């Protein structure tokens, strides 16, 4: 459970993250997710690092000015990775990056992966039956294959059938080229043997939202150096791991979308 955040790799990632701010809108650090998406679909931003939602939001005729003008690719990778034995950045080879592609290590991030439904064990039988019927209806191909083509649902393709044919995507308004490009980028990510999952442990909200987001916001605002950022994240994550709570008061900084 030792945080892997005080090393040259994490420091370089932080510096690259901060460097990207030079190319975004002036108030980027305070943008909400929905504001960021509006900027992209209104043709105000040329590039965004997003979930699959943006691909289907971009074909909404009521709000999008970039219909059939959007391409998607797998999350960018790196030619260097952290050698955990030495604690140093090293160039990719077949041993340090066994899944690299032409010397580039990609680690697609499954941000917010998976919607799930639950039925309360103590609910009345008719309530359980109704809940199960609803979840079943939403999950079956007839409904799910439509929902994944609508940006506002927050659903992205997850069934094999949704990748095998582009018919539903064409019906939703994508061109054949756009549909194949969109599905290819997501398919490559989902099939990557190097995929990174969301943090799925107790108190993950504290690790990510109370600590990581707030510390990063102060870093991007120039209030913390790279070393100070790594130090604060490590110390406060260690507190959560040890005590199960964040002992420090929440930082008064905006959460990042």
């Amino acid at each position: 459970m030792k945080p892997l955040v005080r090393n040259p790799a994490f420091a370089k990632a932080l510096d690259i993250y901060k460097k990207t701010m030079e190319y975004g809108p002036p108030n980027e650090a305070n943008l909400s997710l929905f504001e960021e998406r509006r900027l992209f679909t209104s043709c105000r931003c040329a590039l965004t690092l997003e979930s699959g939602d943006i691909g289907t939001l971009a074909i909404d005729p009521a709000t999008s000015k970039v219909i059939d003008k959007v391409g998607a690719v797998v999350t960018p990778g790196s030619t260097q990775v952290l050698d955990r034995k030495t604690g140093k950045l090293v160039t990719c080879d077949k041993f340090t990056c066994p899944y690299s592609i032409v010397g580039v290590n990609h680690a697609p991030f499954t941000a917010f992966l998976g919607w799930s439904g639950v039925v309360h064990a103590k609910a009345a039988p008719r309530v359980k039956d109704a809940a199960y019927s609803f979840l079943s209806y939403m999950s079956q191909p007839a409904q799910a294959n439509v929902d994944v083509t609508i940006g506002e649902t927050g659903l992205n393709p997850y069934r094999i059938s949704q990748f095998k044919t582009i018919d539903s995507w064409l019906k939703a308004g994508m061109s054949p080229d756009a549909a194949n490009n969109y599905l290819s980028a997501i398919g490559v990510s989902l099939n990557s043997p190097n995929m990174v999952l969301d943090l799925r442990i107790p108190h993950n909200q504290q690790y990510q939202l109370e600590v990581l987001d707030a510390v990063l916001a102060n870093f991007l605002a120039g209030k913390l150096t790279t070393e100070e950022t790594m130090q604060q994240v490590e110390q406060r994550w260690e507190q959560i791991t040890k005590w199960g709570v964040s002992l420090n008061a929440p930082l008064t900084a905006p959460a990042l979308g």
Side-chain angles (χ1 to χ4, degrees):
M1 291 296 290
K2 181 72 175 176
L4 199 65
V5 297
R6 293 189 74 176
N7 57 67
F10 200 86
K12 186 170 184 177
L14 285 174
D15 291 340
I16 292 174
Y17 190 26
K18 192 169 188 176
K19 182 72 175 177
T20 66
M21 302 290 287
E22 298 177 14
Y23 304 94
N27 62 331
E28 182 178 357
N30 296 313
L31 287 177
S32 70
L33 176 64
F34 302 103
E35 290 170 328
E36 169 263 320
R37 289 176 171 178
R38 279 197 296 270
L39 285 174
F40 185 80
T41 57
S42 65
C43 209
R44 295 289 303 280
C45 288
L47 176 70
T48 184
L49 189 63
E50 253 274 20
S51 69
D53 295 3
I54 199 70
T56 44
L57 288 169
I59 60 172
D60 184 347
T63 58
S64 177
K65 296 182 179 180
V66 292
I67 295 176
D68 208 24
K69 297 178 181 179
V70 175
V73 295
V74 66
T75 305
S78 172
T79 57
Q80 292 181 306
V81 292
L82 177 69
D83 185 325
R84 298 196 185 189
K85 293 182 178 179
T86 65
K88 299 182 182 299
L89 268 177
V90 296
T91 301
C92 276
D93 59 33
K94 63 180 180 180
F95 301 106
T96 57
C97 305
Y99 304 114
S100 63
I101 302 173
V102 195
V104 178
N105 185 66
H106 294 271
F109 177 47
T110 56
F112 199 59
L113 175 65
W115 294 91
S116 60
V118 296
V119 180
H120 200 294
K122 295 184 179 180
R126 64 183 182 83
V127 175
K128 289 182 180 179
D129 290 344
Y132 180 87
S133 295
F134 172 73
L135 294 173
S136 174
Y137 167 76
M138 292 294 292
S139 302
Q140 291 179 39
Q143 184 63 35
N145 289 3
V146 175
D147 287 343
V148 294
T149 68
I150 304 172
E152 291 184 347
T153 65
L155 297 175
N156 301 149
Y158 64 95
R159 285 181 172 273
I160 293 175
S161 61
Q162 293 161 358
F163 289 90
K164 281 190 171 181
T165 175
I166 63 172
D167 292 348
S168 58
W169 304 96
L170 298 181
K171 188 175 181 180
M174 282 190 180
S175 68
D177 286 344
N180 285 319
N181 170 261
Y182 175 73
L183 293 173
S184 175
I186 295 178
V188 169
S189 298
L190 291 176
N191 285 289
S192 171
N194 209 32
M195 176 175 278
V196 179
L197 297 177
D198 260 334
L199 185 64
R200 294 186 171 191
I201 58 176
H203 303 288
N204 68 310
Q205 292 288 82
Q206 286 182 302
Y207 285 107
Q208 294 180 299
L209 300 184
E210 288 188 18
V211 175
L212 184 62
D213 273 10
V215 174
L216 283 178
N218 277 345
F219 169 69
L220 295 177
K223 298 178 182 179
L224 296 172
T225 65
T226 301
E227 179 59 35
E228 289 170 339
T229 301
M230 294 188 294
Q231 183 178 17
Q232 282 202 17
V233 172
E234 181 183 58
Q235 289 178 344
R236 295 184 61 179
W237 276 8
E238 288 279 56
Q239 290 174 339
I240 297 172
T241 301
K242 185 174 181 180
W243 302 104
V245 293
S246 182
L247 299 181
N248 293 337
L251 298 175
T252 55
L256 299 180

